[in-house]
Amino acid sequence: MKRQTTLLRAEPVSDAGFDSLVVPVTRASTIVFPTSEAFERRYEQFYDGYTYGLYGTPTSRTLEARVAELYAAEHCLCLPSGQAATALALTALVKAGDRVLVTASAYGSTRAFCTELLTAFGVEVMLYDPLVSSAIEALLDERTRLVLVESPGSNSMEIQNIPAIARAAHASGARIVADNTWASALYCNPLDLGADLVIEALSKHAGGHADVLAGALVTREEPLFRRLKDVSRLMGLGVSADDASLVLRGLQTMPLRIEREGASALILAQWLAARPEVIRVLHPALPTDPGHQLWRRDFHGASGLFSIELAPSHRDRVSAFVDALRIFRIGASWGSTHSVVAPQTASTSRGGPGVPATKLIRFSIGLEPVEDLQADIEAALAVLSTRTEPDTTRDAALR
């Protein structure tokens, strides 16, 4: 055997006696089999074994096991992003002629996927009031296959009555899919509230450092898991071992991070609620929030994401306020160690039916001392009071 062949066929050394605290990163595309018969029968182990790197490695399977464990579930499928998880769930469970109900407070890309792509493939999509509760029964018919809930909504923060919605949907033969990214499994388990399938963007709390994209689908139903896994194969969806490893590392500190972020967020929300420049603080952990009682019933805590609405006299100054912030970075995502702010236009049910879209400011609170964050917000509020334009060239490195 020539040296070139020897190098290509080099076997790894034994790992006997090597017991690391961390999960190894196992990268692979091709997975080899001992015999041609084993290769031909490889899909017999598709759901719980290894057939090809795209469909699972020991690293990604470990992540799936950990996430399933957090939800007290038997099955988890990890995907390249939260949006990929959402898209897979929706395409795997509906077909042309079916009907889907989607909460109007859902993540914007979720709504867009439904109204732009699902409808193009012959699926009827209806956006419903997130506060409909058991009255959703009137919206269900024999073609309704799926009801998507997101509690709270990632911008307008409505808390949905998932148990009531689930009872009505199941009685009609529809499934409940719940986006649980805001709370994570640590603070809410929609499977215990009646959901059939949970979506979580692991890019947020689980990853926690704004450096990885991943998503998860979690269920207790094996036939549902197999359907999702089958469609993921046809769509070529999988998560890399390196990304799975980053999320596994993030999971170890997630309880500490989400607790700190949630505590700081509540302090800031309470403070902002008393500010004259702010007309509303949208945070379900506040006793004055319309969804507070449902939040207390269904959740074990609050994360660091909440929104505010400026008073009418300052509504045209949202950009000036956001641009005046120095510690907060301007960005679309959330749930990381860094505090992030984003201006958002959201249709909210809080003002009643027919209320036009509202300009909100969404905060994602990170791990900075809350005193620094409060001082940063206070300085930005001062810009509103003086009607002066912020110096956008100052501290440019923070942008």
Side-chain angles (χ1 to χ4, degrees):
M1 186 182 295
K2 292 182 179 291
R3 284 181 296 174
Q4 294 92 327
T5 302
T6 302
L7 289 173
L8 289 171
R9 292 180 58 85
E11 296 293 330
V13 299
S14 171
D15 61 0
F18 182 83
D19 192 8
S20 174
L21 278 172
V22 300
V23 177
V25 180
T26 308
R27 302 183 187 92
S29 56
T30 299
I31 294 172
V32 297
F33 298 83
T35 65
S36 59
E37 180 184 4
F39 175 78
E40 291 173 355
R41 299 179 61 179
R42 66 192 183 280
Y43 285 114
E44 293 178 6
Q45 57 193 44
F46 175 64
Y47 302 105
D48 54 7
Y50 302 102
T51 60
Y52 187 66
L54 183 65
Y55 312 137
T57 66
T59 313
S60 63
R61 289 289 171 83
T62 301
L63 175 59
E64 289 170 344
R66 294 292 78 76
V67 174
E69 185 178 45
L70 285 172
Y71 280 99
E74 290 73 35
H75 308 287
C76 173
L77 179 62
C78 286
L79 287 308
S81 68
Q83 181 65 6
T86 301
L88 174 61
L90 292 167
T91 52
L93 300 182
V94 298
K95 63 183 185 304
D98 289 344
R99 192 162 171 268
V100 174
L101 302 184
V102 179
T103 173
S105 61
Y107 174 54
S109 294
T110 297
R111 295 198 312 272
F113 180 86
C114 293
T115 59
E116 296 176 24
L117 283 185
L118 283 188
T119 56
F121 288 101
V123 177
E124 181 184 345
V125 175
M126 178 183 181
L127 299 179
Y128 70 90
D129 183 340
L131 303 184
V132 69
S133 192
S134 59
I136 199 169
E137 182 179 4
L139 306 178
L140 300 164
D141 62 22
E142 67 280 357
R143 293 190 300 115
T144 306
R145 294 290 175 265
L146 185 151
V147 178
L148 190 140
V149 299
E150 182 179 314
S151 185
S154 59
N155 287 330
S156 48
M157 302 291 156
E158 293 93 343
I159 296 291
Q160 295 194 259
N161 192 340
I162 296 178
I165 294 172
R167 284 192 294 270
H170 290 156
S172 183
R175 291 186 181 275
I176 294 289
V177 176
D179 187 328
N180 192 48
T181 304
W182 183 87
S184 82
L186 295 180
Y187 286 165
C188 183
N189 190 344
L191 296 177
D192 291 338
L193 302 177
D196 302 286
L197 181 65
V198 169
I199 300 167
E200 186 177 337
L202 301 178
S203 317
K204 308 299 194 286
H205 301 307
H209 293 77
D211 60 358
V212 62
L213 293 169
L217 295 172
V218 188
T219 183
R220 292 169 177 164
E221 303 175 33
E222 184 171 359
L224 177 55
F225 168 73
R226 289 188 170 225
R227 170 62 180 167
L228 295 167
K229 185 76 173 177
D230 288 339
V231 177
S232 74
R233 178 177 68 86
L234 297 175
M235 296 178 71
L237 294 174
V239 63
S240 77
D242 293 274
D243 288 345
S245 176
L246 286 174
V247 179
L248 280 166
R249 184 177 65 179
L251 285 176
Q252 296 180 52
T253 60
M254 182 172 73
L256 300 174
R257 287 185 284 103
I258 196 171
E259 181 180 11
R260 168 71 177 272
E261 293 158 9
S264 295
L266 187 56
I267 290 172
L268 293 172
Q270 291 167 335
W271 171 69
L272 283 164
R275 295 287 305 204
E277 303 93 339
V278 177
I279 191 172
R280 286 192 304 171
V281 177
L282 285 63
H283 192 313
L286 293 177
T288 55
D289 189 271
H292 183 68
Q293 292 305 316
L294 285 177
W295 174 79
R296 290 190 59 178
R297 184 192 71 182
D298 296 341
F299 291 75
H300 308 297
S303 71
L305 191 76
F306 70 97
S307 299
I308 66 170
E309 181 183 356
L310 295 179
S313 59
H314 300 304
R315 282 177 183 161
D316 62 341
R317 304 274 290 162
V318 168
S319 294
F321 170 80
V322 171
D323 290 345
L325 294 164
R326 290 294 174 263
I327 295 176
F328 285 88
R329 310 294 181 91
I330 302 172
S333 195
W334 46 274
S336 81
T337 56
H338 299 86
S339 290
V340 176
V341 64
Q344 301 280 353
T345 300
S347 296
T348 169
S349 63
R350 292 167 180 259
V355 172
T358 303
K359 195 74 171 181
L360 302 175
I361 299 166
R362 190 180 71 180
F363 293 103
S364 172
I365 307 304
L367 299 183
E368 303 91 346
V370 69
E371 297 84 359
D372 288 349
L373 298 176
Q374 183 173 334
D376 193 30
I377 296 173
E378 188 159 28
L381 290 174
V383 170
L384 300 178
S385 301
T386 60
R387 305 294 293 184
T388 59
E389 294 300 322
D391 180 5
T392 56
T393 63
R394 178 168 58 94
D395 296 332
L398 289 178
R399 289 286 183 258

